[in-house]
């Protein structure tokens, strides 16, 4: 009996929950009906306003063109009327002169004939009829003011509601991730000249793989982008994975977001510049070790002999990726850039501002090394971190029984502290953001 009561209670509870869901849905549907009415009235008003604006523009254009016709007609009428009046006066003068000449020919008084003939001749010479141009000054053709609205008519007939923009496509091949900046590039799958701007959204995530549907981190929004690319700056080094998505907007509506992409913000990329190294350092692109026998000189000679030049980064090195655009050309200093007890080598990338971070991995048997940043004014005899021209984080393992496996530290140089019979090796595994210059 009790089991049946419990089962009935569960059924009642389930039914009550379902009733609440139905009531909530009924309320939302009623609200949507009200919204449909309100939104329909709003878009109808907007449509009427747009058409009224179009009518006003057409009426304005019509008045302007009619005024042009009236002005041209008045100008031509004035010219032709003036020419007509001049011709009429000349004709009247010629008719009077012609009548005088006929009367003179018929006269019987021969004594006055020579004088009368001379006057008629002078009158004909000065007659206005001989100074007139018998060509109309203006044409009666008004075809230059004709119009052809066939194209405009087709455009008006094609008027319709604004289409919803398609979702953009993010072009990962054209996008760039370097120096704690992300330049995202996208394009539209179909040409759309109605797009007014784009909206970019991004958020941090530590999820490796495709973006999750639900994330705890909120989307950060950048609106009003006019181009099909955007550079996001000021990212932090620990933002290893970032989600990005873009949508297009026209004057009325925005489209769907693009498929989100996940990009890793790599650390600040650089290599070691062997041309700046102390003679007793053996330098590779990503590693340096102490060699009391002048390993750097021997290594350079051996590579020159083999014709291989500088050693490339390992294929699987974490530092492999987009090179920094701030990379300095190789060979900027002499072979013995640092000397005496300044057992130092520089990175090949200038840091001119902002926050920067990189990671360093050293071999377990390393005893001492320093990591730091330096101004370009660092002298060739100065030890890293010992003067105002540099800053250094120094690690000394001589008195320790064992060493930690990894030591992240801010740095652009990797420097063994003192020469010894032991080999010191400090290998850069990744470079990126956390010390500012």
């Amino acid at each position: 009996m009790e089991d049946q009561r419990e089962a009935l209670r569960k059924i009642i509870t389930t039914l009550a929950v379902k009733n609440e869901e139905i009531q909530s849905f009924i309320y939302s549907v009623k609200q949507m009906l009200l919204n449909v009415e309100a939104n329909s009235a709003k878009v109808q008003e907007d449509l009427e306003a747009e058409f009224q604006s179009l009518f006003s523009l057409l009426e304005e254009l019509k008045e302007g063109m009619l005024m042009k016709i009236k002005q041209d007609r008045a100008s031509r009428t004035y010219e032709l009327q003036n020419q007509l009046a001049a011709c009429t006066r000349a004709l009247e003068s010629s008719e009077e002169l012609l009548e005088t000449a006929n009367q003179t020919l018929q006269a019987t008084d021969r004594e006055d004939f020579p004088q009368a003939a001379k006057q008629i001749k002078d009158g004909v010479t000065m007659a206005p009829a001989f100074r007139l141009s018998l060509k109309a000054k203006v044409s009666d053709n008004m075809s230059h003011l004709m119009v052809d609205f066939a194209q405009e008519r087709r455009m008006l007939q094609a008027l319709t509601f604004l289409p919803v923009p398609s979702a953009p496509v993010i072009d990962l091949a054209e996008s760039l991730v370097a120096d704690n900046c992300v330049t995202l590039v996208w394009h539209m799958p179909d040409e759309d000249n109605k797009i007014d701007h784009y909206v970019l959204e991004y958020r941090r995530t530590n999820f490796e793989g495709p973006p999750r549907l639900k994330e705890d981190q909120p989307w950060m929004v950048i609106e009003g982008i006019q181009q099909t690319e955007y550079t996001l700056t000021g990212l932090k080094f620990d933002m290893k994975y970032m989600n990005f998505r873009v949508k297009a907007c026209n004057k009325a509506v925005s489209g769907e977001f693009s498929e989100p992409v996940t990009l890793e913000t790599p650390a600040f990329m650089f290599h070691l510049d062997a041309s700046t190294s102390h003679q007793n350092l053996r330098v590779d692109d990503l590693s340096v070790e102490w060699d009391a026998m002048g390993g750097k000189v021997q290594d350079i000679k051996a590579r020159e002999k083999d014709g291989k030049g500088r050693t490339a980064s390992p294929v699987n090195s974490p530092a492999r990726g987009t090179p920094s655009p701030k990379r300095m050309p190789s060979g900027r200093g002499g072979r013995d850039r640092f000397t005496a007890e300044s057992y130092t080598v520089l990175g090949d990338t200038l840091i001119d501002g902002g926050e920067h971070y990189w990671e360093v991995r050293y071999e377990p048997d390393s005893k001492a090394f320093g990591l730091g940043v330096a101004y370009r004014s660092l002298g060739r005899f100065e030890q890293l971190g010992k003067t105002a021209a540099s800053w250094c984080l120094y690690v000394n393992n001589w008195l320790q029984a064992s060493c930690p496996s990894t030591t992240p530290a801010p740095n652009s140089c990797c420097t063994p502290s003192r020469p010894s019979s032991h080999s010191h090796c400090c290998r850069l595994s990744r470079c990126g953001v956390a010390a500012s210059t």
Side-chain angles (χ1 to χ4, degrees):
M1 184 69 176
E2 190 62 31
D3 293 342
Q4 292 177 348
R5 287 180 178 274
E6 183 62 26
L8 184 58
R9 290 193 189 97
K10 290 182 178 180
I11 293 174
I12 294 174
T13 301
T14 302
L15 184 59
V17 171
K18 192 62 177 179
N19 287 345
E20 290 181 359
E21 292 178 354
I22 294 174
Q23 289 177 356
S24 176
F25 180 70
I26 290 174
Y27 173 79
S28 64
V29 170
K30 289 181 178 180
Q31 188 63 42
M32 290 179 66
L33 287 171
L34 296 176
N35 291 341
V36 166
E37 291 296 327
N39 293 337
S40 298
K42 177 63 169 59
V43 295
Q44 183 175 344
E45 291 176 2
D46 292 343
L47 181 64
E48 291 177 352
E50 288 294 334
F51 269 95
Q52 186 59 46
S53 175
L54 187 59
F55 295 153
S56 300
L57 177 60
L58 291 174
E59 191 65 30
E60 182 178 346
L61 290 174
K62 175 184 175 183
E63 291 298 327
M65 298 176 79
L66 288 175
M67 180 60 67
K68 174 63 176 175
I69 294 176
K70 293 177 181 179
Q71 291 175 348
D72 196 276
R73 180 180 63 190
S75 174
R76 292 176 183 236
T77 300
Y78 177 79
E79 292 292 341
L80 291 175
Q81 286 179 345
N82 285 342
Q83 194 172 16
L84 178 60
C87 290
T88 301
R89 289 193 298 269
L91 181 60
E92 292 175 353
S93 175
S94 297
E95 289 177 346
E96 292 177 358
L97 186 60
L98 183 60
E99 184 179 355
T100 303
N102 289 329
Q103 292 175 357
T104 301
L105 288 175
Q106 296 174 2
T108 57
D109 190 355
R110 295 182 177 273
E111 293 180 359
D112 296 336
F113 182 81
Q115 183 64 27
K118 183 177 183 305
Q119 292 178 353
I120 293 173
K121 181 181 179 181
D122 292 341
V124 170
T125 304
M126 299 299 296
F130 293 98
R131 296 194 300 271
L132 286 176
S133 171
L134 298 182
K135 181 180 179 180
K137 291 185 177 181
V138 294
S139 171
D140 59 352
N141 188 353
M142 303 290 285
S143 59
H144 66 289
L145 296 176
M146 299 295 292
V147 296
D148 180 9
F149 289 145
Q151 180 178 356
E152 288 76 8
R153 189 176 293 107
R154 288 193 298 268
M155 292 176 61
L156 290 174
Q157 290 172 345
L159 286 178
T160 183
F161 297 103
L162 280 173
V164 178
S166 303
V169 177
I170 297 177
D171 192 341
L172 291 178
E174 295 294 328
S175 299
L176 175 66
V177 184
D179 295 343
N180 305 308
C181 299
V182 173
T183 298
L184 207 66
V185 180
W186 61 88
H187 65 270
M188 297 299 296
D190 302 309
E191 184 178 356
D192 189 348
N193 56 7
K194 300 293 185 180
I195 293 177
D196 181 68
H197 65 277
Y198 298 92
V199 176
L200 170 66
E201 292 190 355
Y202 68 96
R203 64 182 174 187
R204 175 185 171 185
T205 175
N206 290 324
F207 175 66
E208 300 186 29
R212 291 175 174 173
L213 295 179
K214 294 184 179 180
E215 291 279 356
D216 294 334
Q217 295 290 338
W219 288 98
M220 306 299 291
V221 181
I222 301 176
E223 298 181 332
I225 302 174
Q226 299 296 321
Q227 305 297 324
T228 56
E229 67 176 66
Y230 186 82
T231 299
L232 187 65
T233 61
L235 300 179
K236 302 299 182 181
F237 64 88
D238 58 348
M239 294 182 180
K240 290 190 175 181
Y241 299 95
M242 296 286 293
N243 288 346
F244 295 88
R245 63 184 187 181
V246 185
K247 67 179 179 180
C249 306
N250 54 35
K251 295 290 187 181
V253 67
S254 59
E256 296 292 331
F257 276 103
S258 64
E259 287 295 328
V261 298
T262 301
L263 297 176
E264 179 181 357
T265 53
F268 197 74
M269 306 296 294
F270 71 93
H271 298 274
L272 296 175
D273 187 355
S275 66
T276 67
S277 171
H278 190 282
Q279 180 172 333
N280 290 111
L281 298 181
R282 184 187 298 274
V283 178
D284 199 349
D285 275 356
L286 300 173
S287 66
V288 58
E289 61 180 322
W290 166 256
D291 188 343
M293 301 303 294
K296 176 186 175 230
V297 176
Q298 299 174 10
D299 185 59
I300 291 177
K301 288 182 178 180
R303 282 184 285 172
E304 289 177 348
K305 183 177 180 181
D306 295 338
K308 296 181 180 179
R310 194 170 180 177
T311 303
S313 302
V315 174
N316 296 323
S317 169
R320 188 170 61 91
T322 304
S324 169
K326 302 177 183 178
R327 181 68 53 83
M328 291 282 291
S330 60
R332 62 179 176 180
R335 181 171 60 83
D336 296 326
R337 171 66 177 83
F338 291 98
T339 187
E341 295 186 352
S342 179
Y343 304 100
T344 304
V345 58
L346 296 177
D348 64 353
T349 305
L350 290 177
I351 300 175
D352 53 10
E355 295 182 350
H356 301 279
Y357 152 88
W358 48 96
E359 299 172 1
V360 173
R361 183 177 69 249
Y362 64 91
E363 299 298 333
D365 60 347
S366 296
K367 298 303 180 182
F369 58 87
L371 313 169
V373 293
Y375 289 107
R376 298 185 66 176
S377 60
L378 182 68
R380 62 196 298 250
F381 295 98
E382 297 178 7
Q383 297 185 31
L384 193 67
K386 298 297 180 67
T387 66
S390 63
W391 175 91
C392 179
L393 179 64
Y394 178 67
V395 178
N396 190 340
N397 291 328
W398 283 100
L399 302 179
Q400 297 181 9
S402 62
C403 303
S405 59
T406 58
T407 303
N411 170 274
S412 65
C413 311
C414 181
T415 312
S417 167
R418 296 283 182 178
S420 71
S421 58
H422 296 79
S423 172
H424 306 286
C425 180
C426 170
R427 183 174 298 274
L428 279 74
S429 65
R430 182 168 299 189
C431 35
V433 184
S436 59
T437 59

